[in-house]
Structure formats: C-alpha cells, structure tokens
C-alpha cells in the first residue's frame, strides 16, 4: 500500500501523513506483549482512540468475535455517548485480535463486565497523551518509524531526539485505507468506521483505492482512446 496523504482543509497547513505498509509491519512486529492487544485492536478494528479508551469488557464478545461501540471517553477522560448516532456500531474482530484480547483479559486485574478493557493501572480511563507518549510513540522508536525533534542531552547540549511519527489516530486511518485497497464497499467501510457522513469515508477511499501506477494506466487508456 502506498503512503496515503490527505490534502489539508486549511490553507498553509501541511497534508497529513499516514504509515506505509512497511511501517505498519515494523510496528506490529516489535509491539511489546503488554501493548500488543491495544495496538492490534486499534489497527484491525479502525475504532477511534476515544472509543478504545471507553471500551468495556461487556462490549467485547470474544466468542462471537465482535466489538460493540456503545460509549467513549472524551478529552477530559469522562465517559459518555459515542460521537454521533452513526458511531454506535458493531465491529468484527479477526481471530488474531480475539486471541490477543483473550490473553490480555487473562493478564488483566480488571475483568468484570463494566470494567474498562484498556484502563490505567488503577482501572480508570487512560489519557490519550499517555497512550501517545508511553505506548504508540515508544513502539515506533523500537520499530525505527521515527521523526527527529530538537532536544538536549543530560548536560544540556542540543541533540536530535527520535520520536514516533504517528499518533493512535493514524492506525485508524491506516485500517480504513487497507480495507479500501482490499475492495471493501464504501458503505460497509463507513459503517465500520462510524462516519456520520459518507463524504468523510470517500475522502479516505478515493486516496486509498489505487496506486500511482494504477492511476497512470487508467489515464493512458483514456489517452489512447482520444488520440489513438
């Protein structure tokens, strides 16, 4: 899969960038056991970070292989209703993700139905910042999927510090792009992602369904018909 870039909606703002297939493979390969369930679930379900932060065990059916989005955690870690009516949905889970979630539940201290699946050590809602700084960022550094920012060493000398290139939302987008490339119907993709408007899904779909070479082949075919 090519690297997907979506045009910015604001003038002067850089286009968003998303992981390439090679980068995703590298991230999944080195994901530590403690965080594999979260990282794999994020990528292969396409759920929003807020939905994963608010996910309860009662909303995960390991036997049926499904995840039911019924609540979310906002930026203040408060639990509430999903973002929109369309966000209330059921997401299929692959056997691999089910196996990881089952192992994760066995290791977890919090297993009651109303307990969170991915909580803090105290069983509370985990902040997105902690997931970014302690989970998603570090695993990308392990995978060498990094960007370099200005920093200082222990003596105060300026150095370049490796940071993860992508946040958790990038895994959601990458899931959508992969599914689009595999031919998932755009309405099915909209339903899985919980988009209220299909135009949002189409923006992803249009950029993901073909590669540059495939687009060129279509253009050449049209050209030959017009001037051949």
């Amino acid at each position: 899969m090519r690297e997907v870039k979506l045009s910015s909606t604001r003038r002067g703002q850089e286009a968003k960038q998303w992981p390439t297939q090679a980068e995703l493979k590298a991230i999944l390969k080195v994901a530590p056991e403690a965080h594999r369930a979260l990282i794999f679930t994020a990528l292969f379900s396409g759920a929003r970070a807020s939905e994963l932060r608010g996910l309860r065990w009662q909303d995960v059916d390991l036997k049926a292989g499904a995840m039911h989005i019924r609540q979310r955690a906002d930026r203040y870690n408060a639990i509430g209703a999903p973002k929109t009516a369309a966000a209330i949905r059921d997401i299929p889970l692959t056997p691999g993700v089910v196996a990881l979630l089952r192992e994760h539940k066995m290791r977890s201290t919090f297993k009651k139905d109303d307990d969170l699946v991915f909580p803090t050590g105290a069983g509370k809602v985990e902040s997105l910042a902690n997931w970014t700084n302690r989970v998603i960022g570090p695993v990308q550094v392990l995978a060498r999927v990094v960007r370099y920012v200005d920093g200082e060493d222990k003596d105060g000398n300026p150095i370049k510090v490796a940071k993860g290139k992508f946040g958790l939302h990038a895994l959601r987008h990458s899931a959508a792009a992969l599914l689009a490339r595999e031919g998932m119907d755009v309405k099915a993709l909209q339903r899985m992602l919980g988009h209220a408007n299909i135009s949002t899904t189409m923006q992803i779909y249009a950029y993901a369904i073909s590669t540059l070479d495939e687009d060129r082949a279509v253009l050449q075919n049209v050209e030959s018909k017009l001037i051949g």
Side-chain angles (χ1 to χ4, degrees), residues 102-118:
R102 186 171 283 115
E103 293 172 4
H104 174 67
K105 188 173 186 179
M106 290 293 292
R107 294 192 302 268
S108 177
T109 306
F110 308 98
K111 304 177 185 179
K112 294 181 181 179
D113 286 350
D114 58 350
D115 285 337
L116 297 174
V117 178
F118 302 112

Side-chain angles (χ1 to χ4, degrees), residues 149-153 156-161:
V149 299
D150 293 329
E152 295 182 349
D153 63 16
N157 300 312
I159 59 172
K160 291 292 185 179
V161 179

Side-chain angles (χ1 to χ4, degrees), residues 45-52 54-56 59 67-73 80-92 172 187-198 200-201:
S45 73
R48 295 178 175 91
S50 60
E51 295 165 349
L52 293 173
L55 185 66
R56 301 166 295 184
D59 297 324
M67 185 165 71
H68 311 297
I69 303 301
R70 298 295 183 267
Q71 63 177 33
R72 65 187 285 266
K83 193 173 182 180
T84 64
I88 301 173
R89 65 200 189 281
D90 301 329
I91 300 174
R172 168 176 161 83
K187 287 296 293 183
L189 188 59
Q190 178 192 11
R191 183 171 60 251
M192 180 174 173
L193 295 174
H195 287 156
N197 299 309
I198 198 169
T200 304
T201 315

